[in-house]
Amino acid sequence: MKWNKPGHEFDELGGKFIKNRKLIVIGDDFDQASFYLNRRITDVLQFLNVPVKLVKFSIKNLQKKWFTKLIIHMLNFKYKLFKQHAVIITHYKYQDVNKAIMLRNILKEIFPNLMVYDSTEFLEKQMSIFAAYVQDKIYVRDTCIIVTTGCTLNCKYCLNFTPFIKHAKSISLEKLKEEADIYFKVVDYVGFFQISGGEPLTYKYLAEYIEWVAEKYSNQIGQILLATNGTLLPDERLANVLKKYGVILLLDNYTQAVPSTKPTRDKLINFLEEHGIDSRDYGENQQFFKFFPANEDYSKLSEKELSERADKCWGLQPWRNLRDGRIYYCNFSSFAVTAGIIQDDPRNYMDLKNFDCSKKKELLEFFMGYSVLGYDTFCTLCNGINESNTLERRPAGEQAKGKFGWHSGMTLSEFEEMNL
Ligand code: SF4
């Protein structure tokens, strides 16, 4: 989205939150905030420092719509829920997310003026606006940091453009610490702090870094996530750190494209189980979008079309990359800079170094998808990563034949021919 009124894009909703600052969570499982957040929802909401009331609503009440409505009327009678100027959040275990949505919809139907959200949408979007307007705090759904561009694989459609990275580089521990210090001075709370690469398990100081971040910023991080391609096993020190700080491993699955990765991946799964380390295991049919190089010349699109396309690339809140003390509009644009595909452009990032706190609402808007351009300069070279990207997808992990140099104007078919 292109900025119209920087610093005021969310004034209307923010104003409503100021008048309705109590939170009521209705649901039947409060122990896990979301699929990627292994924390109680109350712990995540705690940093907002507003009253939170939990109302148990058993899932069996949701089986029949009329019964649900009846129970809601009884709850209203009992708790006077809707006279409390509160924001209502419906919350169920992540497997039952549809139940939360159904309950939200029924509540909206019965009480049209109610501010009601299901927990996923609240944690991904409205909570950022709530935090900024009610508490002058910055809450962000997620941010990713790259510790190394070195990898054990060379995936053709790597989201980090590994085939174009000729000289892989690890970031020094001091620099990574400095990045986090700059970031957490400005950002009060991040839902997921994701550590990625390259393959982060090749990074020599990974255990030390995770331990340092988790100790220093535990009150500002909902969940540390670690993405891995499943080709390496953690050593004992790293395993202890992962367990101690409840890090979730995001376990990519490239076994269809690279069957030789399977034995180690299987060992890794056993290893994680034995050590009590949590993970999210992507299934065998994991796929990569062929989102780069460009399938056609997107620079011909109008500004409006580019902006609309960029808006579709994300769910409720875009993925952000932290690099050089800056937050990038699009993760992939930042990775493209690192791979030497595009030049850094100040319109694609916000600098957090020496951040002017009076610009907090602009930062919130940037995190939520607003920018000077309304899109990223990399959008002209990128097929987009969204449901509207109808390009073929491939089994994740197909390997490129070598390292390539990027030249401007390279098309997807030219890149694929080089890889035949
Ligand atoms: S089109 Fe590509 S560069 Fe643009 S926002 Fe989408 S993923 Fe990012």
Side-chain angles (χ1 to χ4, degrees):
M1 283 148 304
K2 192 169 174 155
W3 258 316
N4 278 322
K5 296 179 289 173
H8 298 278
E9 299 289 352
F10 297 113
D11 279 2
E12 194 182 331
L13 183 57
K16 284 188 189 167
F17 283 144
I18 290 171
K19 289 187 198 140
N20 299 278
R21 53 176 59 213
K22 181 173 175 178
L23 299 175
I24 298 179
V25 187
I26 304 183
D28 79 349
D29 179 85
F30 306 118
D31 283 347
Q32 187 174 22
S34 78
F35 182 62
Y36 291 115
L37 262 170
N38 259 353
R39 282 209 181 193
R40 277 179 71 77
I41 186 154
T42 38
D43 292 347
V44 178
L45 298 175
Q46 201 176 26
F47 100 104
L48 291 171
N49 203 19
V50 295
V52 180
K53 185 188 196 83
L54 295 182
V55 176
K56 190 105 175 143
F57 195 88
S58 158
I59 209 158
K60 68 178 189 301
N61 294 329
L62 288 164
Q63 305 302 332
K64 289 207 169 74
K65 224 174 167 186
W66 66 266
F67 190 53
T68 307
K69 284 185 183 176
L70 181 71
I71 304 284
I72 288 174
H73 282 295
M74 284 165 65
L75 282 181
N76 190 27
F77 185 73
K78 182 173 173 195
Y79 293 105
K80 303 262 177 302
L81 286 178
F82 313 119
K83 291 186 179 166
Q84 300 195 38
H85 301 292
V87 176
I88 314 281
I89 303 164
T90 58
H91 181 75
Y92 285 88
K93 253 190 171 37
Y94 60 81
Q95 296 94 326
D96 297 316
V97 64
N98 289 338
K99 302 280 176 200
I101 294 170
M102 178 178 154
L103 181 56
R104 178 201 65 188
N105 292 344
I106 296 176
L107 280 160
K108 267 193 168 306
E109 194 185 310
I110 304 177
F111 307 99
N113 295 327
L114 205 62
M115 303 189 77
V116 56
Y117 306 97
D118 68 74
S119 53
T120 305
E121 67 176 331
F122 187 76
L123 292 175
E124 294 206 0
K125 184 172 181 186
Q126 286 84 10
M127 182 146 139
S128 296
I129 302 168
F130 190 100
Y133 280 81
V134 175
Q135 293 289 0
D136 194 31
K137 287 181 176 174
I138 293 290
Y139 162 79
V140 181
R141 185 195 59 184
D142 69 82
T143 293
C144 159
I145 189 163
I146 302 291
V147 293
T148 177
T149 53
C151 193
T152 49
L153 296 173
N154 190 36
C155 300
K156 216 190 269 187
Y157 306 112
C158 175
L159 304 180
N160 300 32
F161 314 114
T162 296
F164 294 101
I165 297 172
K166 292 212 175 104
H167 305 290
K169 215 171 90 188
S170 288
I171 314 296
S172 74
L173 186 59
E174 291 65 38
K175 167 110 169 129
L176 288 174
K177 288 181 178 178
E178 197 186 306
E179 298 273 20
D181 285 338
I182 293 168
Y183 178 82
F184 285 111
K185 214 168 151 191
V186 178
V187 172
D188 297 282
Y189 197 93
V190 60
F192 329 126
F193 190 70
Q194 178 165 340
I195 297 170
S196 194
E199 173 44 55
L201 264 65
T202 63
Y203 185 57
K204 195 170 161 192
Y205 305 106
L206 187 60
E208 204 173 330
Y209 185 57
I210 293 175
E211 189 163 34
W212 179 86
V213 170
E215 284 289 336
K216 189 162 182 188
Y217 294 110
S218 65
N219 292 335
Q220 289 174 257
I221 300 176
Q223 182 72 57
I224 298 177
L225 302 175
L226 178 65
T228 177
N229 64 18
T231 57
L232 297 171
L233 265 59
D235 60 24
E236 284 299 321
R237 172 161 187 215
L238 178 59
N240 290 336
V241 167
L242 298 176
K243 168 94 173 95
K244 181 171 176 191
Y245 298 103
V247 176
I248 297 179
L249 257 75
L250 305 181
L251 195 49
D252 279 318
N253 192 328
Y254 301 157
T255 55
Q256 215 183 94
V258 196
S260 59
T261 58
K262 191 166 182 336
T264 309
R265 193 174 185 282
D266 290 346
K267 258 192 222 161
L268 175 60
I269 291 169
N270 288 337
F271 181 93
L272 298 178
E273 268 172 29
E274 278 164 26
H275 287 76
I277 298 166
D278 201 354
S279 65
R280 299 287 177 271
D281 183 2
Y282 295 107
E284 253 179 28
N285 55 0
Q286 191 182 354
Q287 294 182 321
F288 277 165
F289 277 102
K290 291 161 85 170
F291 85 114
F292 177 82
N295 199 40
E296 51 186 281
D297 183 3
Y298 300 113
S299 61
K300 288 186 184 141
L301 297 179
S302 68
E303 301 263 301
K304 190 166 171 279
E305 285 167 327
L306 282 167
S307 178
E308 283 170 1
R309 226 169 119 256
D311 290 347
K312 285 189 196 139
C313 282
W314 310 108
L316 295 165
Q317 192 167 139
W319 299 348
R320 303 305 195 186
N321 182 221
L322 169 65
R323 182 168 58 79
D324 290 338
R326 300 160 177 165
I327 285 294
Y328 281 77
Y329 184 78
C330 176
N331 250 358
F332 307 118
S333 156
S334 174
F335 301 157
V337 174
T338 308
I341 294 167
I342 58 166
Q343 297 291 312
D344 242 337
D345 186 315
R347 293 171 298 178
N348 294 342
Y349 60 76
M350 271 187 89
D351 211 324
L352 302 187
K353 297 186 287 291
N354 307 316
F355 183 74
D356 171 359
C357 282
S358 69
K359 301 230 181 268
K360 272 191 187 180
K361 295 218 171 74
E362 280 171 52
L363 179 63
L364 154 80
E365 290 158 4
F366 186 77
F367 269 118
M368 307 289 283
Y370 284 90
S371 75
V372 179
L373 290 173
Y375 59 93
D376 191 289
T377 55
F378 186 54
C379 296
T380 57
L381 296 175
C382 171
N383 297 315
I385 182 157
N386 59 69
E387 291 313 312
S388 69
N389 179 342
T390 51
L391 298 176
E392 192 195 342
R393 300 179 197 194
R394 302 292 300 163
E398 273 185 1
Q399 296 298 287
K401 287 221 169 115
K403 294 284 182 189
F404 303 100
W406 161 255
H407 72 79
S408 128
M410 183 187 287
T411 61
L412 185 56
S413 35
E414 186 184 340
F415 177 65
E416 285 180 340
E417 272 160 29
M418 291 195 296
N419 276 287
L420 284 177

